Each structure stands twice: as structure tokens, then as C-alpha cells.
Amino acid sequence: MKHIAVAIDGPSGAGKSTIARAVAQSLGLIYVDTGAMYRTIGLHVSRAGIQPGEPDKVSELIQSADAPAVSLTYVEGEQHVLLNGEDVSGLIRTPEMSRYASFVSAVPEVRAFLLNTQRDLAKTTSVIMDGRDIGTVILPDADVKIYLTAAPEARARRRCDELLEKGQDVTYEQILADQLRRDEADMTRAEAPLRQAEDAVLVDTSELTLEQSIEAVGAIVRRVME
């Protein structure tokens, strides 16, 4: 199989991680969830007692001796994120870490800190990488670029159902409000704002089932691989 890099961008809750993971597994590619990396930085920042709205303190932390060691490992094809050797994959999927991820991702030093790690992964193996600026900044020369989106209401309903299934005490209204705040922050930040790359294929999953969404994205990638 020839080397291939697939970039999937889009707003929070669009299903990027679930869809990218499924497509990667079906096509024998490595899935890289960059959002998990930012959530992990957010967890580190939170543990350091830094609050959203204190970017200078984040910059100092990232450049200090206490800078976090973020790495990825794969167990039976499933990505796990390590923070200073601790597997934090189960700790970063909360609304609070979503807010921290949005906050730290706007800090230039954080983006620079993770940039080379993300690019090196794409150089050494065939990947599907998802995030907010993969096709525009991280992998501008990706073989396939997809902008995956859905209406805010559809995204909020899916995220709410997902968190309720995990036993978290959330409401649809709360998730929708967080979703809209996250969209605004991601699209208006000065550093690498969320936007569709000019050469990206738009896939709107508002009216699609998960299976249909996976098939739509998989078909785009397969056409390039053939």
C-alpha cells in the first residue's frame, strides 16, 4: 500500500474521531486524534491550577522544566494518550476538558509544541489525522482533505447522548451552549482558526447515520488509494 496522509477537519462534535477511527481501521491506516493531544495539554494545565483566560501562564508552563510529555501509543489499533507516562485517555473526554482544549489550542506555544510530533507521525506512517487545522496548517500537502461538519443542534444531540451513556450528568441545552461557544472560539482565534481548506471535500453529516457518514468518508479516501 502506498503512503497516504488524510486530513480531516471540522467543528467539535462533528464525529471526526469516531468516523476517522472507523475508516482508518477498515483501510489499515493509523488513526491520529490530535484533539486528544490538546485535551491532554488542557488536563496538564488544569492540574497546574491554571484557569482558562490565563494564556501567559500556559506559555510559561509549556516552556518550563515542567512541560508535559505527551505521547501516543496504540493497543490493538486503539489510540491511547499518555501524559508523563500516565494513560489519561479516559480522563480527557469531559465537557471541562473540551473547554480547556479550546483554550490551550489558541496558545501559539502549545501549537508549536505539538506540531512536529503530529507531522512526524504523518511522515513515518500512513495516517488519518483529525483536528481543527490539519489540512490548513499541520498537513497542508495531505493527499486527502475532508471538512466534516454537521448542524450545531445535531452535534449537540449526539454529544449529549454519548456523555449520558457514559453516566455523565449533562443536559442538551448545556452541551449546545458549550458547542456554540467552542465553535466561536475555534473559528475566531488568532492562531490557526478553524476553516475549510480550499481543496478540502465538504461532508455534512447532519442527516446521515453514523454508518452512512463512515461510508461517505471512506469512499473519498478509497478513491485516492486506488
Side-chain angles (χ1 to χ4, degrees):
M1 183 179 70
K2 68 176 183 180
H3 181 275
I4 187 172
V6 181
I8 300 182
D9 292 307
S12 173
K16 297 187 301 297
S17 298
T18 302
I19 294 169
R21 184 184 297 109
V23 172
Q25 185 173 19
S26 70
L27 297 179
L29 307 176
I30 292 295
Y31 165 61
V32 181
D33 176 5
T34 62
M37 293 178 166
Y38 286 103
R39 287 171 179 264
T40 301
I41 297 289
L43 177 62
H44 183 71
V45 166
S46 172
R47 287 176 170 178
I50 299 173
Q51 300 299 316
E54 298 180 315
D56 291 344
K57 291 185 179 180
V58 175
S59 299
E60 292 172 5
L61 180 64
I62 291 297
Q63 298 175 84
S64 73
D66 293 323
V70 178
S71 59
L72 302 179
T73 186
Y74 293 86
V75 179
E76 297 182 350
E78 185 75 14
Q79 176 182 282
H80 289 250
V81 191
L82 305 182
L83 173 60
N84 297 327
E86 174 191 359
D87 188 339
V88 296
S89 305
L91 301 178
I92 58 176
R93 301 297 178 181
T94 67
E96 181 185 17
M97 286 306 106
S98 291
R99 289 191 290 273
Y100 263 95
S102 185
F103 160 52
V104 300
S105 67
V107 179
E109 288 79 6
V110 173
R111 306 197 73 84
F113 180 75
L114 294 176
L115 177 63
N116 288 335
T117 298
Q118 294 163 353
R119 284 183 174 169
D120 287 345
L121 284 167
K123 287 178 182 177
T124 56
T125 188
S126 290
V127 300
I128 293 184
M129 189 176 295
D130 76 82
R132 301 292 188 279
D133 63 346
I134 308 305
T136 55
V137 177
I138 307 300
L139 303 178
D141 297 322
D143 302 287
V144 182
K145 296 181 185 180
I146 296 170
Y147 190 83
L148 190 68
T149 190
E153 294 78 10
R155 289 185 279 128
R157 173 53 62 195
R158 294 168 185 170
R159 180 60 59 85
C160 185
D161 290 345
E162 176 188 354
L163 294 176
L164 288 173
E165 283 184 10
K166 294 180 178 179
Q168 297 188 29
D169 184 17
V170 297
T171 66
Y172 167 77
E173 291 76 15
Q174 171 194 346
I175 295 298
L176 178 59
D178 285 345
Q179 198 90 72
L180 294 173
R181 280 195 296 269
R182 182 92 189 262
D183 287 352
E184 176 70 13
D186 288 344
M187 292 177 178
T188 61
R189 69 191 183 203
E191 184 75 14
L194 169 66
R195 63 179 177 84
Q196 181 179 343
E198 291 183 2
D199 53 347
V201 179
L202 177 66
V203 178
D204 189 322
T205 68
S206 299
E207 303 299 327
L208 300 181
T209 64
L210 176 58
E211 290 73 20
Q212 290 170 332
S213 301
I214 292 170
E215 178 54 35
V217 171
I220 295 169
V221 179
R222 280 194 295 271
R223 282 198 295 270
V224 176
M225 294 179 67
E226 292 172 352

